[in-house]
Each structure stands twice: as structure tokens, then as C-alpha cells.
């Protein structure tokens, strides 16, 4: 239902009955699947996928009209404590 490259062109997200993320290689090389995320809507149909800045998260829209964010937790606390030392 939706296909999206990240800003660098290194990752490809595909939304359909589930969400799949691939690491994009050259045209001649096989692309490596990195992650398969479930469609948590219960509808079985994700309708859109978008990468966030620096590919740190993926936003997924689905037929139940919800937006789900998949990604890493914020690391700001780690940086602040390192600066205080």
C-alpha cells in the first residue's frame, strides 16, 4: 500500500499487511531485510509509512485511523549526564 525510502536512500520501508524495512544495497546486490513490524491495527492493512529524521523512527498509518511510531527511545538523558561529568 505504501513504499518509502529514507532521506539517505539507505533504507526502504514497505507497508501492507505488515511493515517491512530493508537495507538498500546496490542494484545488483540483494537487499537485506532488517525488520518486520506487525500491523497492530487489527485491520491487517497499513496504509502509509514514513521515515523520521536520520531514520531513527518509522511512522505508520493504518485503516483504523491511528498513527503508530516505531523506533529507538530518546537518548538525550545519556548525553546530558555525560556533559555534567
Amino acid at each position: 500500500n505504501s513504499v518509502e525510502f529514507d532521506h539517505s536512500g539507505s533504507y526502504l520501508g514497505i507497508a501492507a499487511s505488515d511493515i517491512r524495512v530493508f537495507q538498500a544495497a546496490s542494484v545488483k546486490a540483494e537487499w537485506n531485510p532488517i525488520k518486520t513490524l506487525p500491523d497492530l491495527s487489527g485491520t491487517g492493512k497499513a496504509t502509509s509509512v514514513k521515515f523520521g529524521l536520520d531514520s531513527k523512527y518509522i511512522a505508520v498509518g493504518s485503516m483504523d485511523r491511528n498513527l503508530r511510531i516505531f523506533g529507538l527511545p530518546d537518548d538525550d538523558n545519556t548525553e546530558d549526564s555525560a556533559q555534567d561529568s
Side-chain angles (χ1 to χ4, degrees):
N1 296 336
S2 181
V3 176
E4 175 84 12
F5 278 99
D6 74 325
H7 297 290
S8 70
S10 299
Y11 300 101
L12 173 68
I14 301 173
S17 59
D18 58 12
I19 300 91
R20 294 176 189 222
V21 180
F22 293 86
Q23 184 173 14
S26 69
V27 176
K28 295 180 182 180
E30 189 171 319
W31 292 11
N32 298 322
I34 294 176
K35 189 77 173 173
T36 300
L37 304 166
D39 174 20
L40 299 174
S41 69
T43 64
K45 195 168 189 179
T47 57
S48 62
V49 60
K50 297 287 181 184
F51 284 92
L53 295 176
D54 298 331
S55 303
K56 293 195 180 214
Y57 66 89
I58 298 175
V60 177
S62 60
M63 290 296 290
D64 67 351
R65 299 182 184 170
N66 283 311
L67 176 67
R68 289 172 177 81
I69 308 294
F70 297 93
L72 300 173
D74 193 18
D75 292 338
D76 289 341
N77 294 336
T78 307
E79 291 176 10
D80 291 340
S81 62
Q83 292 174 356
D84 294 338
S85 328

